[in-house]
Amino acid sequence: MTFPPNSNPGGSGASGPSRAGSSGHSRNGGAVAAVNLALDNILRNHLRVNDPRNAKQVADGLLSYYQDSPQAAGIRQEVSGLPYLPAAPRGTLPASAAQPSSSDTEFHIANGDVEKALQDLTSNPLTNDITPEMQGWGDSIRGAIVQGHAAARQGLDPTQRDKVMSVRRQLGEYARMARFVGSLSPGMTQNFRRLGRALDEVSAVLLVTLGESLASVGFATGYYLLQVPLPELQQRRDSVVFALRNFNGGAQQSYGPDDWPRGIDAYRRLYKWLEEQGQGDLRSLLLENEVAQTMDALITRAQNGTSEGLRALGVTAQLDIERFRRMAIVAPGAMSREDGHFDRSPPMESYLQALELFAETFKPAGGLRLLRIARPPILLYGLYNMNQIEDDNALFDLIAVRGTLATIFDGLFPSNSSRGVQPQVLLDMLLLVLDRGIDLLALGSATKEGGPTEWRAVAFWAIASVIQQLLQGGNAAFGAGPIADYQRLNPWFGEDLTQIKLDYANATLNVPGLKRAFHRFGAIPLTEVPQALDDRKQKGLAEELRVQGSLEERWENLVRTVAPEAGDQQSVFVLLRKVIEQAAFEAKVHHLPRIAPALPQQFEQSLDLIARRV
């Protein structure tokens, strides 16, 4: 017996859990519908067939889908009466192996530097007491590098881009930790700092490789990157179809005798409302075939995330899904009542939310600056988009300044004296915050107004500003704020700040390049801390500062595990925490957000909490 697509074969005569009206029928019917819908979607989307139950159409679709494979060519030859698999033409040369690019060579050099530094720290007699810890570092760092390098080659996939940035953050924190431990470990300072420099090299190569992966597919002047990977796009498409079936009563689940038909009632009111409001064209979005056809066309146009597909999608998606956004705006009016209140319909809300979720997929994602970082500026003219805004040039300047500062910082305090620990730790912290700011700007939306990533980067510029003031101004740098308050209660802290200024001044006396680098950094417009920020921007800054403050709190025990000498350096960790608090004060973020408490496990606990408040 043949069943129509997306039907339940149980029927009224079925027995057991499939019997009509039983709870098992709803569960099994929903599962069968989900499986059938998934199979139909695969056949329609990939084989481009109208009727998934038509064997002839499926066969033709398979032959067309695999037309470039040797098996398909053999089938066509067999139909013509020729051998099934023709031999390869004589004289055909095997494909030559891909030649390594400059980024591959640079990655191997940087990865070799990391490996040598790890082997040195693991086998050095001075680290015998922490050999297991160093082996743990090696396993974690090697695993992160392998993941990051594999993901960097797939820059068009947003999931892989996110993974690369996560690996860069992880390696950056290891680099700072290595420098931190080196500053507190006499005799091993340069050994640890070599590991930090090698990790910086790998992080930089990963960012360049990520940008080159966009250039290697011919992205060129394209403006568009998908927000989500293609598999998730298909899932969002299926969510719309499922929500529509539940909304219009086609979900193969009957209402109970005491259930209010919220979906059917809202569907009837919406259908009438759209006609009355002159939006009758939106009623086509209440038909499954029409909605599915529109979404399938967009998914097909993406061409599995290729550069050509994304460029075609970037100039058509916003117009093709405009109806989805109009529906989300107009439809809620159908549920309004004369007294000004709105009736709520969960099935209708689910459908509108699914439409908006699918529409948001085609909002361009940030990341085009990665391509500009990876390619030399001389190649941008003609081959790539030259409509750069000033922020892009400022990002290039920031990257250059960061490299200059890192080169100088690693040689300022080679003696590792107790007096040189605090300024050296501050300089290492400055490198980390510059890296985090560069990452946020590289993922920006490349618009003149800036976006959330640019706003969040202000948190790191505030930290950098506080560090500069501490190094150059000492205890007189801050007239108000957490640092000034703390030194009034603890005179020793003010003496430490004065000593930090003196040590830094002596170490940088014959380093003119450092002053020029800080001057260039201060001249970059992106690194300025605005005098006033709205609530939305302040929230982003507060979240970033909370993350950084939480990191500083956890590092105290971690550093002491690897560097036992850190037990006498309590003032270092106090100083780092006060830097974060002062940055929040300088950025006008008067309090850092607290983590929301978890929901009670049982409703009795909720009632108990309410009773206590009463």
Side-chain angles (χ1 to χ4, degrees):
M1 180 177 180
T2 304
F3 300 100
N6 304 320
S7 65
N8 182 11
S12 60
S15 61
S18 298
R19 185 177 300 277
S22 66
S23 60
H25 171 78
S26 299
R27 292 192 298 269
N28 292 343
V32 171
V35 172
N36 287 338
L37 177 62
L39 292 176
D40 290 352
N41 289 340
I42 292 175
L43 295 177
R44 288 193 179 101
N45 295 339
H46 295 280
L47 303 186
R48 313 306 299 166
V49 298
N50 296 325
D51 185 5
R53 297 297 185 269
N54 189 314
K56 181 66 168 59
Q57 292 186 16
V58 173
D60 293 340
L62 287 170
L63 186 61
S64 175
Y65 187 80
Y66 294 103
Q67 59 182 343
D68 296 330
S69 66
Q71 290 81 1
I75 293 174
R76 289 193 293 268
Q77 294 288 347
E78 187 180 29
V79 172
S80 303
L82 299 176
Y84 179 72
L85 288 176
R90 292 184 179 181
T92 303
L93 298 177
S96 59
Q99 297 297 321
S101 64
S102 59
S103 295
D104 294 329
T105 304
E106 292 161 353
F107 172 78
H108 291 310
I109 295 174
N111 192 32
D113 293 342
V114 172
E115 191 64 33
K116 293 175 183 177
L118 288 174
Q119 291 177 0
D120 175 52
L121 292 175
T122 305
S123 59
N124 197 299
L126 296 179
T127 60
N128 284 338
D129 295 337
I130 57 172
T131 298
E133 286 81 357
M134 292 298 95
Q135 292 175 347
W137 274 26
D139 293 340
S140 179
I141 290 173
R142 292 185 184 101
I145 292 175
V146 170
Q147 291 183 3
H149 188 235
R153 295 175 173 272
Q154 307 175 44
L156 279 179
D157 189 337
T159 302
Q160 302 302 322
R161 290 200 303 271
D162 294 341
K163 183 181 295 186
V164 173
M165 304 312 293
S166 175
V167 170
R168 266 184 54 84
R169 190 181 189 105
Q170 182 179 355
L171 295 180
E173 291 172 353
Y174 268 112
R176 184 194 170 193
M177 178 64 66
R179 292 185 171 101
F180 202 152
V181 173
S183 299
L184 300 174
S185 302
M188 293 294 295
T189 301
Q190 291 305 315
N191 303 68
F192 279 101
R193 299 194 75 83
R194 273 195 294 270
L195 176 60
R197 289 194 295 269
L199 292 176
D200 287 347
E201 295 171 8
V202 173
S203 298
V205 174
L206 290 182
L207 199 64
V208 173
T209 304
L210 186 60
E212 286 186 345
S213 67
L214 300 178
S216 63
V217 296
F219 204 75
T221 57
Y223 292 88
Y224 191 81
L225 288 176
L226 270 180
Q227 289 272 11
V228 298
L230 265 298
E232 185 173 342
L233 180 58
Q234 183 66 40
Q235 293 176 3
R236 294 188 179 189
R237 181 261 188 206
D238 293 344
S239 298
V240 174
V241 174
F242 277 123
L244 177 58
R245 290 183 177 180
N246 187 46
F247 179 36
N248 62 15
Q252 299 181 347
Q253 294 182 2
S254 58
Y255 289 97
D258 298 327
D259 294 338
W260 175 254
R262 296 184 176 183
I264 298 297
D265 176 65
Y267 183 86
R268 176 185 58 81
R269 294 167 65 173
L270 176 60
Y271 203 88
K272 182 179 178 181
W273 171 262
L274 293 176
E275 182 179 6
E276 292 176 349
Q277 302 302 315
Q279 304 288 343
D281 61 304
L282 294 180
R283 291 190 294 184
S284 61
L285 295 182
L286 301 178
L287 303 176
E288 179 181 333
N289 291 338
E290 176 67 21
V291 177
Q293 181 180 0
T294 302
M295 294 187 295
D296 291 342
L298 290 170
I299 295 174
T300 303
R301 194 173 302 143
Q303 298 179 14
N304 293 325
T306 62
S307 60
E308 293 81 3
L310 292 178
R311 292 171 65 179
L313 196 64
V315 295
T316 58
Q318 300 302 321
L319 298 178
D320 291 348
I321 62 176
E322 182 60 28
R323 291 187 300 166
F324 290 15
R325 294 193 176 93
R326 278 202 295 140
M327 173 66 85
I329 296 174
V330 175
M335 308 304 293
S336 62
R337 299 187 306 196
E338 294 181 357
D339 57 1
H341 295 281
F342 284 83
D343 293 329
R344 311 299 296 182
S345 173
M348 177 177 170
E349 295 290 343
S350 299
Y351 176 58
L352 297 180
Q353 291 291 340
L355 279 180
E356 287 190 280
L357 179 63
F358 185 83
E360 289 175 357
T361 304
F362 302 97
K363 181 181 179 181
L368 288 179
R369 288 174 178 166
L370 295 170
L371 189 149
R372 296 169 182 168
I373 291 174
R375 307 309 296 157
I378 195 173
L379 294 180
L380 299 181
Y381 173 73
L383 295 178
Y384 297 95
N385 176 27
M386 281 299 294
N387 295 326
Q388 292 189 15
I389 57 177
E390 190 63 28
D391 289 353
D392 293 339
N393 297 326
L395 175 59
F396 303 153
D397 295 339
L398 181 61
I399 293 173
V401 168
R402 191 271 177 200
T404 302
L405 291 177
T407 303
I408 297 174
F409 290 170
D410 283 332
L412 280 182
F413 297 89
S415 62
N416 191 46
S417 63
S418 59
R419 295 175 57 187
V421 169
Q422 290 180 325
Q424 182 66 73
V425 169
L426 288 175
L427 293 175
D428 296 339
M429 185 182 187
L430 178 60
L431 288 182
L432 181 67
V433 299
L434 290 182
D435 281 336
R436 298 290 75 77
I438 290 173
D439 289 349
L440 289 173
L441 295 178
L443 295 176
S445 56
T447 60
K448 195 168 185 179
E449 297 79 10
T453 56
E454 286 85 350
W455 307 338
R456 286 178 174 268
V458 174
F460 297 105
W461 311 145
I463 296 175
S465 175
V466 172
I467 293 175
Q468 284 184 268
Q469 294 179 64
L470 282 174
L471 294 173
Q472 300 170 3
N475 61 349
F478 305 99
I483 290 181
D485 296 339
Y486 191 80
Q487 65 177 322
R488 278 194 294 269
L489 298 176
N490 302 273
W492 62 266
F493 188 68
E495 297 175 0
D496 278 3
L497 297 184
T498 301
Q499 192 63 47
I500 288 174
K501 177 184 176 181
L502 295 176
D503 291 343
Y504 176 77
N506 294 331
T508 60
L509 186 62
N510 298 318
V511 189
L514 181 60
K515 295 182 179 180
R516 290 196 300 268
F518 273 127
H519 178 73
R520 289 172 57 193
F521 175 75
I524 298 175
L526 289 177
T527 60
E528 297 178 358
V529 180
Q531 295 296 324
L533 296 171
D534 57 31
D535 294 339
R536 183 174 56 170
K537 296 179 181 179
Q538 278 198 356
K539 181 180 179 181
L541 265 66
E543 291 175 351
E544 288 293 341
L545 291 172
R546 177 176 177 80
V547 170
Q548 198 64 28
S550 175
L551 181 64
E552 300 300 332
E553 293 175 359
R554 295 194 305 271
W555 274 22
E556 182 171 352
N557 292 330
L558 181 60
V559 172
R560 287 179 172 177
T561 301
V562 185
E565 297 82 358
D568 298 330
Q569 301 293 340
Q570 179 66 28
S571 59
V572 175
F573 304 104
V574 172
L575 175 63
L576 295 179
R577 289 195 294 268
K578 293 304 172 182
V579 167
I580 303 298
E581 296 175 7
Q582 186 69 32
F585 179 83
E586 297 286 336
K588 305 297 189 297
V589 179
H590 301 295
H591 64 280
L592 300 182
R594 295 183 177 179
I595 299 177
L599 293 175
Q601 298 178 356
Q602 299 178 352
F603 69 90
E604 290 87 352
Q605 294 176 326
S606 300
L607 296 177
D608 182 61
L609 292 175
I610 295 175
R612 291 180 181 179
R613 293 174 183 174
V614 174

